[in-house]
Amino acid sequence: MANASLQSFLLPQHHSFANTGTHDSSPSILHKHTNSSSSISFRLYSNTSPSVTTTSTPNSSTPTPVTPAAAEKTPAPTLDLLGRQLAAGDYRQADETTRALLIELAGESARRRGYVFFSEVQFISVEDLRAIDGLWREHSNGKFGYSVQKRLWEKVQRDFTRFFIKVGWMKKLDTEIEQYNYRAFPDEFVWEIKDDTPEGHLPLTNALRGTQLLGNILMHPAFEDGQEEEATEEGVTATTSGQSKDDSKGRERPKFMKDFKPDYSF
């Protein structure tokens, strides 16, 4: 088990994007890819063999190494970087930084792999996840953030399809029958605060491997405060309206959340 903390990522660090595709235990960097189906994926590239171009001068036959222009250094993901991006209203870049932070915090295996397994969410500390969520809420007037998504998810009885529609991750199709489809990344998502920007629209969580990753983030202990009080109020409302306890069974914690056993089959 790996326990990462943002404190270890607050020091200035830089990585080069001009690297080979070899995977090993050496320092590595995150590179984003978008496939034809508009799903987001990530790959990790080794940072030990930077590509180098050479030039030669008339007075020497020895090639002179030249750093390629593409090898611009990019800052490591930190809370400070995320805060600055959000304060500047750069929500798209902040979304990518948030995703990179989750990978860093989930442990060494996630960093080598380049993405987080749902079973690794438990390795992210309450303090770190709350700090990330707090920055999103602070710089969006409470419109974005994981805790906002958690509240909306609970309101639709943890139905992910209804949740995706509510936060605007799915769009309604122009058809006679009411139908929805997933938005194409990144152009069809909303990267600014407007009057019609759906609440909870950001940050995004890749559901390419299913909804268990998002489910574990929303069910993280970092967002449990206040849930008991809300559940109690809803229980009183249900009793007053004559609903039976069986009507609330859909709100119980899913079995995979209770067991929380690693399952890498997806």
Side-chain angles (χ1 to χ4, degrees):
M1 292 177 61
N3 293 311
S5 172
L6 281 176
Q7 299 302 322
S8 62
F9 303 112
L10 293 179
L11 296 177
Q13 300 181 45
H14 298 280
H15 299 290
S16 171
F17 275 88
N19 298 300
T20 65
T22 305
H23 294 260
D24 53 27
S25 59
S26 58
S28 51
I29 58 92
L30 186 68
H31 190 83
K32 190 179 90 171
H33 297 261
T34 304
N35 60 28
S36 58
S37 62
S38 299
S39 300
I40 311 167
S41 62
F42 296 90
R43 294 181 182 175
L44 218 56
Y45 290 84
S46 171
N47 199 34
T48 56
S49 303
S51 58
V52 176
T53 59
T54 61
T55 60
S56 58
T57 63
N59 298 327
S60 174
S61 59
T62 303
T64 303
V66 176
T67 303
E72 297 180 0
K73 294 183 178 180
T74 182
T78 65
L79 276 176
D80 180 65
L81 175 62
L82 177 61
R84 285 186 278 112
Q85 291 169 340
L86 288 170
D90 190 354
Y91 295 111
R92 179 174 173 181
Q93 193 59 50
D95 183 68
E96 294 188 11
T97 298
T98 299
R99 192 174 298 107
L101 278 172
L102 294 184
I103 293 172
E104 292 283 2
L105 295 170
E108 183 180 351
S109 295
R111 291 193 291 272
R112 286 200 307 264
R113 188 187 314 114
Y115 57 87
V116 181
F117 277 146
F118 74 88
S119 55
E120 295 169 328
V121 174
Q122 61 183 315
F123 303 144
I124 303 175
S125 74
V126 168
E127 293 76 13
D128 288 336
L129 205 49
R130 281 181 178 170
I132 293 172
D133 177 66
L135 287 173
W136 274 99
R137 287 186 290 107
E138 176 185 356
H139 296 290
S140 66
N141 295 320
K143 199 160 194 174
F144 297 151
Y146 291 123
S147 59
V148 177
Q149 294 174 352
K150 169 68 176 291
R151 173 171 53 80
L152 298 174
W153 184 53
E154 293 287 357
K155 282 187 176 181
V156 296
Q157 287 74 51
R158 301 178 185 174
D159 183 311
F160 278 107
T161 299
R162 292 167 61 192
F163 171 77
F164 291 161
I165 294 173
K166 192 172 187 65
V167 299
W169 294 358
M170 299 182 75
K171 61 180 180 179
K172 189 175 182 179
L173 301 179
D174 186 17
T175 56
E176 294 183 2
I177 302 176
E178 185 174 354
Q179 297 183 58
Y180 292 83
N181 196 10
Y182 292 102
R183 292 187 182 276
F185 182 87
D187 295 337
E188 293 188 350
F189 286 88
V190 183
W191 303 107
E192 57 185 346
I193 296 289
K194 299 186 294 186
D195 291 340
D196 59 348
T197 300
E199 187 180 18
H201 190 70
L202 299 174
L204 304 180
T205 299
N206 186 7
L208 177 63
R209 299 174 186 84
T211 57
Q212 289 183 321
L213 172 60
L214 178 58
N216 276 268
I217 292 175
L218 299 183
M219 290 300 297
H220 193 280
F223 309 123
E224 287 183 353
D225 289 353
Q227 295 302 317
E228 292 183 4
E229 181 179 350
E230 183 176 329
T232 301
E233 292 177 356
E234 292 178 353
V236 171
T237 302
T239 302
T240 304
S241 62
Q243 293 179 349
S244 66
K245 293 182 179 179
D246 292 339
D247 293 336
S248 301
K249 283 186 177 180
R251 297 184 58 79
E252 294 179 359
R253 189 166 182 159
K255 187 176 185 302
F256 78 84
M257 293 291 186
K258 295 177 182 178
D259 295 343
F260 214 81
K261 295 178 180 178
D263 180 4
Y264 304 141
S265 61
F266 54 93

